[in-house]
């Protein structure tokens, strides 16, 4: 069932090429908002220095430190605001995408997508804020409970072996729990779209019940998508490592590769939405 | 030479009889002014030391001495009113305090007046500070007269360690733990209080130290282990002997994991915390590189051994410290090899056995000599062994070299203080650190690039040879540098050491335009017919014997001050080009480049003007004036102008403004832009990776 949903998710997402493009364009646009102030600071600092040419090769760390020293002030604030805005835009877009998949590709993208996005935007914002309680509760397990246990067993000043391995264990558990949190949010959104639900606290609770009632299947699907994402990241890095020569053509190839990777990531995200919706349908139907 | 001493040591040591002290060096290497015999017993239950000390001291000055002064370093941790801790906000438990107190003091000539001894504060008048003890004498001690002083004292070690001394459970790093006599220089005591930013200064001598610790505890200490004796109470006395050193430190713990090896003829012993045992070989390898390279580059390490201590993880503040023949390093469990600070610290701390240990400069007053010179040498060795751009970090594609690391640190405090200051007089602790470590790395690397690696190495080798077992000052270093280089480098050291001047040169203007006929009114030439090319040709033809000519122009700056500025006009280019011009009608370009000295630091610079791949002009400028101008008439347009094209001047605080291109290259920005945009796209999609 899980593999079938995975296949079907990818297939359904592939049929929504315009939606992939739309997600990609939004990503590119907001990335540009982040990129522009940093880049133009960089350009202004570079002026017409020969450093322009040197940077066509490998990164010059001496230059990087110099740039951050002279022009690094306030960069964080420049980055933070668009990231927050993008988060809310993503909530809008996810409402649209889920509506499209819920309509089983009936109707036009414009109607289903934009209508769905608008219809569920406010609910998804409420859902997001309520879900933060779940996130905090889940993250308390590794960073609160585990830390408390560590202190109880090994004292306030444990061996470095405990600290280092403890950190890796906490990190691993955190990733698992964040995936669980993401599953809960995803299925709450799916349920909201499919049933036109309005009470988001109830949705979170029902999603929680659904996820843990079908934990092996729901988690397997989520973990598969996570794993595929990691594989794509590794493959991208292997390819991108070849593009280091200071040459215009090489840089062009690098840009193309990067954008293909980002499109693949968008495709993966939409595939996940579709697959999870299929899984939800299947499990709800069978139960 | 190197082996002679050690052979003598072995012979004499093994044939030493009865209670006679072992002899390491047949001929003393240093003036043995302050010699100590100490019996110390560790009391782990109270983190304290009970000790009896005999000091053999000689008045080697030409003046009578009416009082003695002692460092009582551990009193820096006595309370929160000490000069060391007065600005510390940390609340300390009882165990965290440390102190030293003299229970009894006497001498065979009954010269000292123990009832009149008092704590003094020569640096800051902080009456609460008790780190310098003044002991008056009943009568003056004459030049050449010797004194044997006996102390019974108690030291309480802070837990956890502060300033590289103290305890942590059953780990002890014992440094600056005994009453240590100051240095008498020109009839005056040089005995400073213990400041947060200061280190140490002392006279050389011979140490015989008997350390009593519980059975099965492992001990590492300055010098060589002479013997171990088991007491009836189950404790063990470890008898250590050291010659021609000016400090004595030791460590003990039942849990050390030992590694041993050798480098040249030096035995290396590594005492690892159990958690870090996996890095024992890494420690050993770094120590071997340090010993071998220092001996090869600068001279013999005369001592037979070196002990490297890895403090247990919760005693990391005991790490990264130098003592004669014993150093402490620092690491983390599982630290990847790409993070080179294990190697960096070991090479650095071993280096202090040269710069501080043997070349015993005053760390209170001129920290740059030991910390700065040593950091430069450490960075040089790191570059040599671990790569120019990977000597600091080489991990997951992130590559940072030591020089870049030090330069970036220097940028943050580039003009707060001159390099040479008393350690407690810097603007801040960070300024002390930067001016003592990173800034000297930056200016000494610049000097290395200016003089050449060979000359720089000779300077340090000579400095070591001439000043080992002495107390050199800054002027001694400059004297050696001038002598060895055959140049007067006062101008460089004056700026680098005694001012806060920053060095910054920039290419501020360039133009390279086609030479066209003149238009408009000109009363000297016919309108529309005379060209600059013809004018140049005439000039060159009148002086055809010169390939190039240096001309002095008077150029007026904005400030209305008229200065003489060197201007170079390439006449050879003009002559050839003009001849071609007449035959082939080649276009000529008039190129003007202006170079500015933006900072106050004056330094001669090389300039590179690229016209084509095959036509690169190299010029030199003494950099003294505020700006200079270069002009050329050539059939090629200028592509770029660069000050210091090989980036030899690491001191330059802005390398980006060192160059200009006539046509801006878009390659770099495009590549960085592509990567930056991609990072931002990923940043936005990061939550999606976790399905958010």
């Amino acid at each position: 069932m899980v593999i079938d949903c995975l296949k079907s998710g990818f297939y359904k997402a592939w049929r929504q090429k315009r939606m992939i493009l739309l997600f990609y364009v939004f990503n590119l646009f907001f990335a540009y908002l982040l990129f522009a102030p940093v880049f133009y600071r960089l350009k202004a600092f570079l002026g017409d220095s020969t450093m322009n040419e040197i940077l066509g090769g490998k990164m010059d760390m001496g230059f990087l430190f110099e740039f951050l020293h002279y022009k690094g002030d306030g960069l964080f604030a420049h980055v933070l605001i668009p990231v927050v805005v993008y988060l809310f835009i993503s909530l809008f877009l996810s409402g649209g995408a889920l509506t499209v998949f819920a309509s089983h590709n009936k109707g036009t993208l414009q109607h289903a997508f934009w209508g769905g996005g608008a219809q569920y935007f406010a609910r998804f914002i409420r859902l997001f804020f309520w879900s933060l309680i779940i996130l905090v509760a889940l993250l308390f397990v590794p960073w609160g409970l585990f830390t408390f246990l560590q202190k109880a067993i090994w004292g306030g000043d444990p061996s470095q072996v405990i600290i280092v391995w403890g950190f890796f264990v906490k990190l691993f558990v955190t990733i698992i729990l964040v995936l669980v949190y993401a599953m809960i949010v995803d299925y709450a959104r799916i349920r909201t779209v499919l049933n036109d639900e309005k009470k988001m606290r109830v949705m979170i609770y029902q999603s929680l019940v659904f996820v843990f009632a079908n934990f092996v299947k729901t988690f397997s699907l989520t973990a598969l998508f996570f794993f595929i994402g990691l594989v794509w990241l590794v493959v991208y890095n292997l390819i991108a490592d070849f593009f280091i020569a200071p040459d215009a053509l090489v840089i062009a190839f690098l840009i193309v590769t990067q954008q293909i990777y980002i499109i693949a990531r968008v495709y993966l995200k939409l595939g996940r939405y579709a697959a999870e919706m299929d899984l939800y349908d299947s499990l709800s139907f069978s139960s | 030479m190197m082996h002679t001493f050690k052979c003598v040591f072995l012979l004499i040591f093994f044939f030493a009889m009865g209670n006679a002290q072992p002899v390491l060096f047949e001929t003393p290497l240093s003036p043995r002014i302050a010699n100590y015999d100490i019996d110390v017993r560790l009391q782990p239950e109270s983190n304290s030391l009970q000790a009896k000390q005999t000091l053999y001291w000689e008045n080697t000055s030409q003046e009578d001495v009416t009082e003695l002064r002692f460092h009582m370093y551990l009193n820096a941790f006595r309370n929160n009113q000490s000069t060391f801790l007065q600005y510390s906000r940390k609340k300390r438990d009882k165990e965290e305090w440390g102190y030293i107190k003299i229970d009894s003091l006497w001498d065979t000539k009954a010269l000292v007046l123990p009832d009149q001894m008092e704590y003094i504060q020569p640096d800051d008048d902080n009456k609460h500070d008790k780190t310098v003890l003044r002991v008056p004498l009943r009568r003056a001690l004459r030049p050449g007269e010797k004194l044997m002083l006996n102390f019974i004292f108690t030291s309480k070690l802070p837990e956890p360690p502060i300033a590289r001394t103290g305890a942590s459970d059953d780990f002890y790093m014992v440094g600056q733990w005994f009453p240590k006599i100051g240095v008498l220089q020109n009839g005056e005591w040089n005995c400073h209080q213990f400041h947060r930013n200061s280190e140490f200064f002392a006279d050389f001598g011979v140490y015989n130290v008997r350390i009593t610790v519980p059975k099965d505890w492992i001990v590492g200490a300055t010098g060589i282990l002479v013997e171990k004796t088991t007491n009836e109470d189950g404790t063990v006395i470890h008898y250590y002997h050291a010659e021609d050193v000016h400090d004595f430190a030791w460590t003990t713990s039942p849990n050390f994991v030992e590694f041993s090896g050798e480098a040249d003829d030096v035995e290396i012993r590594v005492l690892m915390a159990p958690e870090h045992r996996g890095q024992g070989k890494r420690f050993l390898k770094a120590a071997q590189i340090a010993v071998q390279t220092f001996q090869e580059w600068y001279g013999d390490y005369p001592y037979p051994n070196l002990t490297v201590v890895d403090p247990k993880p919760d005693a990391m503040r005991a790490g990264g410290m130098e003592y004669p023949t014993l150093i402490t390093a620092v690491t983390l469990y599982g630290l990847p090899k790409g993070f080179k600070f294990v190697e960096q610290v070991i090479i650095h701390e071993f280096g202090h056995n040269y710069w501080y240990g043997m070349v015993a400069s005053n760390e209170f007053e001129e920290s740059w000599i030991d910390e700065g010179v040593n950091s430069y040498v450490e960075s040089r060795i790191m570059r040599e062994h671990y790569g120019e751009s990977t000597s600091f970090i080489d991990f997951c594609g992130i590559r940072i070299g030591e020089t870049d690391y030090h330069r970036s640190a220097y940028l943050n405090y580039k003009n707060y203080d001159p390099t040479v200051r008393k350690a407690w007089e810097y603007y801040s602790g960070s300024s002390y650190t930067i001016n003592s470590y990173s800034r000297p790395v930056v200016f000494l690397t610049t000097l290395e690039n200016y003089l050449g690696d060979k000359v720089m190495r000779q300077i340090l080798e000579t400095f070591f040879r001439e000043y080992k077992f002495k107390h050199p000052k800054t002027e001694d270093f400059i004297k050696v540098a001038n002598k060895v280089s055959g140049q007067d480098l006062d101008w460089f050291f004056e700026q680098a050491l005694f001012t806060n001047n920053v060095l910054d040169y920039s290419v501020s203007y360039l133009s390279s335009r086609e030479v066209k006929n003149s238009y408009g009114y000109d009363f000297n030439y016919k309108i529309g017919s005379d060209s600059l090319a013809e004018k140049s040709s005439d000039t060159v033809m009148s002086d055809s014997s010169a390939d190039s000519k240096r001309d002095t122009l008077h150029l007026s700056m904005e400030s209305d001050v008229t200065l003489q500025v060197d201007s170079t006009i390439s006449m050879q280019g003009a002559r050839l080009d003009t001849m071609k011009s007449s035959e082939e009608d080649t276009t000529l370009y008039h190129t003007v480049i202006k170079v500015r000295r933006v900072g106050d630091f004056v330094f001669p610079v090389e300039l590179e003007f690229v016209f084509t791949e095959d036509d690169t002009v190299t010029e030199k400028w003494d950099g003294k004036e505020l700006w200079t101008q270069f002009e050329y008439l050539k059939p090629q347009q200028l592509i770029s102008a660069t000050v210091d094209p090989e980036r030899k001047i690491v001191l330059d605080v802005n390398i980006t403004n060192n160059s200009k291109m006539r046509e801006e290259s878009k390659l770099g920005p495009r590549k960085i832009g592509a990567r930056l945009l991609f990072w931002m796209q990923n940043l936005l999609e990061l939550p999606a990776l976790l399905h958010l």
Side-chain angles (χ1 to χ4, degrees), chain A residues 73-135:
Chain A
D73 290 348
L75 277 182
F76 180 71
H78 275 300
V79 169
L80 188 66
I81 295 166
V83 167
V84 172
V85 174
Y86 182 76
L87 182 72
F88 288 103
I89 296 287
S90 295
L91 292 177
F92 178 88
L93 296 178
S94 66
L98 289 171
T99 308
V100 169
F101 291 128
S103 66
H104 300 287
N105 298 323
K106 289 173 192 164
T108 61
L109 177 67
Q110 287 89 332
H111 286 119
F113 185 85
W114 298 110
Q119 187 179 352
Y120 300 113
F121 182 52
R123 293 180 219 181
F124 282 6
I125 288 177
R126 291 205 316 274
L127 181 74
F128 170 72
F129 283 115
W130 283 118
S131 74
L132 289 179
I133 296 169
I134 303 277
L135 183 65

Side-chain angles (χ1 to χ4, degrees), chain A residues 208-230:
Chain A
L208 198 72
V209 171
F210 172 79
V211 164
F212 283 100
N214 305 284
F215 191 75
V216 174
K217 286 173 181 155
T218 52
F219 187 77
S220 299
L221 184 65
T222 299
L224 266 174
F225 274 103
F226 180 70
F227 181 71
I228 292 167
L230 286 183

Side-chain angles (χ1 to χ4, degrees), chain B residues 359-379:
Chain B
V359 179
S361 55
N362 188 334
E363 294 184 291
F364 287 96
E365 297 177 2
E366 298 176 305
S367 54
W368 86 272
I369 302 182
D370 65 300
E371 293 299 356
V373 168
N374 189 43
S375 294
Y376 159 71
V377 171
E378 161 229 307
S379 111

Side-chain angles (χ1 to χ4, degrees), chain A residues 27 35 39 48-50 52 56 60-61 66 69-70 86 157 160 165 181-182 236 244 258-259 265 272, chain B residues 276 314 333 399 407 411 647 653-656 659-661 668-669 671 674 678 681-682 685 691-692:
Chain A
N27 171 278
F35 153 90
F39 183 69
D48 43 12
S49 167
T50 53
N52 283 292
D60 185 311
M61 296 310 285
E66 199 170 281
H69 174 73
Y70 290 111
Y86 182 76
D157 198 9
Q160 231 170 45
W165 282 110
Y181 162 77
Y236 162 76
I244 51 167
Q258 288 171 343
Q259 296 313 307
R265 287 275 298 273
R272 193 187 84 229
Chain B
H276 302 151
D314 54 359
Y333 173 78
R399 295 181 184 90
R407 182 173 171 273
L411 287 179
R647 280 163 70 168
V653 296
N654 189 335
I655 47 171
T656 310
S659 57
K660 264 190 189 299
M661 303 183 81
K671 184 160 186 182
F678 179 64
Q681 287 178 287
N682 269 288
E685 286 300 313
H691 292 218
L692 295 178

Side-chain angles (χ1 to χ4, degrees), chain B residues 313-554:
Chain B
D314 54 359
M316 281 175 74
R317 279 187 290 177
M321 187 58 191
E322 68 277 10
Y323 299 100
T325 77
L326 179 141
I327 59 175
T328 68
V330 67
T331 189
L332 295 168
Y333 173 78
L335 184 77
K337 284 188 176 174
F339 291 94
K340 305 282 173 54
F341 69 76
V342 166
E343 288 77 7
Q344 184 193 33
V345 171
I346 289 174
I347 291 169
H348 182 94
E349 304 310 341
F350 174 75
H352 275 306
N353 271 275
Y354 282 68
W355 326 112
Y356 143 89
M358 288 182 271
V359 179
S361 55
N362 188 334
E363 294 184 291
F364 287 96
E365 297 177 2
E366 298 176 305
S367 54
W368 86 272
I369 302 182
D370 65 300
E371 293 299 356
V373 168
N374 189 43
S375 294
Y376 159 71
V377 171
E378 161 229 307
S379 111
R380 183 73 197 81
I381 295 173
M382 290 297 288
R383 282 188 277 144
E384 179 91 3
H385 286 274
Y386 301 103
E388 185 78 35
S389 60
T390 51
S391 50
F392 187 59
I393 293 176
D394 183 10
F395 184 71
C396 286
I398 299 169
R399 295 181 184 90
I400 302 175
E402 274 247 350
T403 311
D404 280 335
Y405 157 71
H406 282 293
R407 182 173 171 273
S408 74
Y410 164 62
L411 287 179
N412 292 319
Y413 280 87
K414 55 184 176 290
N415 54 4
Y416 279 68
D417 285 296
T419 306
V420 179
R421 283 230 140 143
K422 286 178 179 164
W424 58 96
E425 290 180 348
Y426 287 93
Y427 172 79
S428 63
S430 298
S431 182
Y432 158 79
T433 305
I434 300 298
N435 278 290
S436 301
Y437 294 78
S438 293
R439 186 174 174 192
V441 172
V442 171
F443 73 69
L444 289 173
T445 307
T446 301
L447 189 65
E448 172 197 311
N449 292 335
Y450 178 69
L451 297 172
D453 186 40
K454 193 178 165 191
V455 175
M456 194 67 192
R457 204 177 287 183
Q458 282 171 347
I459 289 172
L460 291 175
E461 189 259 329
T462 309
F463 183 56
F464 174 67
R465 195 176 61 242
E466 292 189 2
Y467 289 97
K468 61 185 174 186
F469 305 109
K470 293 177 184 167
H471 298 307
K473 296 187 167 187
T474 295
E475 47 268 36
D476 298 316
F477 184 90
I478 298 171
K479 203 161 57 184
V480 169
N482 287 345
K483 188 176 78 177
V484 174
S485 67
Q487 300 180 38
D488 182 355
L489 296 169
D490 287 358
W491 60 270
F492 176 81
F493 288 112
E494 173 62 31
Q495 299 179 93
L497 294 169
F498 303 111
T499 73
N500 65 343
N501 290 358
V502 295
L503 192 155
D504 186 12
Y505 286 90
S506 77
V507 176
S508 56
Y509 172 83
L510 65 80
S511 74
S512 193
R513 293 185 185 133
E514 188 181 336
V515 176
K516 292 181 177 169
N517 290 341
S518 304
Y519 295 101
Y521 296 103
D522 187 331
F523 298 108
N524 295 323
Y525 301 98
K526 285 180 187 175
I527 295 170
S529 63
D530 288 341
S531 71
L532 277 172
E534 285 168 339
K535 185 182 167 193
S536 302
S537 177
D538 288 340
T539 310
V540 173
M541 292 304 281
S542 66
D543 187 14
S544 59
S545 61
D547 282 345
S548 68
K549 177 185 170 189
R550 282 204 168 266
D551 196 5
T552 302
L553 302 178
H554 289 269

Side-chain angles (χ1 to χ4, degrees), chain B residues 456-680:
Chain B
M456 194 67 192
R457 204 177 287 183
Q458 282 171 347
I459 289 172
L460 291 175
E461 189 259 329
T462 309
F463 183 56
F464 174 67
R465 195 176 61 242
E466 292 189 2
Y467 289 97
K468 61 185 174 186
F469 305 109
K470 293 177 184 167
H471 298 307
K473 296 187 167 187
T474 295
E475 47 268 36
D476 298 316
F477 184 90
I478 298 171
K479 203 161 57 184
V480 169
N482 287 345
K483 188 176 78 177
V484 174
S485 67
Q487 300 180 38
D488 182 355
L489 296 169
D490 287 358
W491 60 270
F492 176 81
F493 288 112
E494 173 62 31
Q495 299 179 93
L497 294 169
F498 303 111
T499 73
N500 65 343
N501 290 358
V502 295
L503 192 155
D504 186 12
Y505 286 90
S506 77
V507 176
S508 56
Y509 172 83
L510 65 80
S511 74
S512 193
R513 293 185 185 133
E514 188 181 336
V515 176
K516 292 181 177 169
N517 290 341
S518 304
Y519 295 101
Y521 296 103
D522 187 331
F523 298 108
N524 295 323
Y525 301 98
K526 285 180 187 175
I527 295 170
S529 63
D530 288 341
S531 71
L532 277 172
E534 285 168 339
K535 185 182 167 193
S536 302
S537 177
D538 288 340
T539 310
V540 173
M541 292 304 281
S542 66
D543 187 14
S544 59
S545 61
D547 282 345
S548 68
K549 177 185 170 189
R550 282 204 168 266
D551 196 5
T552 302
L553 302 178
H554 289 269
L555 297 172
S556 177
M557 295 186 296
E558 283 182 7
S559 57
D560 290 336
V561 179
T562 302
L563 288 179
Q564 281 198 333
V565 176
D566 239 9
S567 175
T568 303
I569 300 178
S570 171
M571 293 303 180
Q572 185 182 34
R575 176 174 60 82
L576 292 172
D577 302 338
T578 309
M579 287 166 71
K580 272 186 186 174
S581 173
S582 59
E583 289 167 12
E584 301 167 19
D585 197 24
T586 307
T587 307
L588 276 176
Y589 295 92
H590 179 214
T591 297
V592 179
I593 304 135
K594 291 187 181 183
V595 182
R596 282 184 66 205
R597 175 167 60 78
V598 183
D600 295 324
F601 200 118
V602 176
F603 194 86
V605 291
E606 289 175 5
L607 303 114
E608 183 184 82
F609 306 132
V610 179
F611 289 88
T612 63
E613 273 186 23
D614 303 327
D615 186 6
T616 298
V617 176
T618 306
E619 299 281 2
K620 289 191 174 173
W621 177 38
D622 64 14
K624 288 180 181 166
E625 297 299 341
L626 287 174
W627 55 273
T628 190
Q629 178 171 303
F630 299 85
E631 289 183 61
Y632 301 90
L633 272 175
K634 280 177 162 288
Q636 300 90 11
Q637 266 189 303
L638 182 77
I639 296 173
S640 68
T642 307
V643 181
D644 184 30
E646 292 175 53
R647 280 163 70 168
K648 293 177 176 174
I649 308 173
V650 187
L651 254 178
D652 195 319
V653 296
N654 189 335
I655 47 171
T656 310
N657 70 7
N658 278 19
S659 57
K660 264 190 189 299
M661 303 183 81
R662 186 175 47 78
E663 285 181 359
E664 187 184 320
S665 166
K666 292 187 169 53
L667 207 60
R670 277 182 186 158
K671 184 160 186 182
I672 288 206
R675 286 206 182 271
L676 194 60
L677 182 67
F678 179 64
W679 291 337
M680 298 306 181

Side-chain angles (χ1 to χ4, degrees), chain B residues 211 218-222 240 249-252 256 269 271 307 309 326:
Chain B
I211 304 163
I218 295 162
V219 173
T222 296
Y240 275 85
W250 54 282
T251 184
T252 186
F256 281 133
R269 184 177 176 224
L271 301 176
T307 303
V309 181
L326 179 141

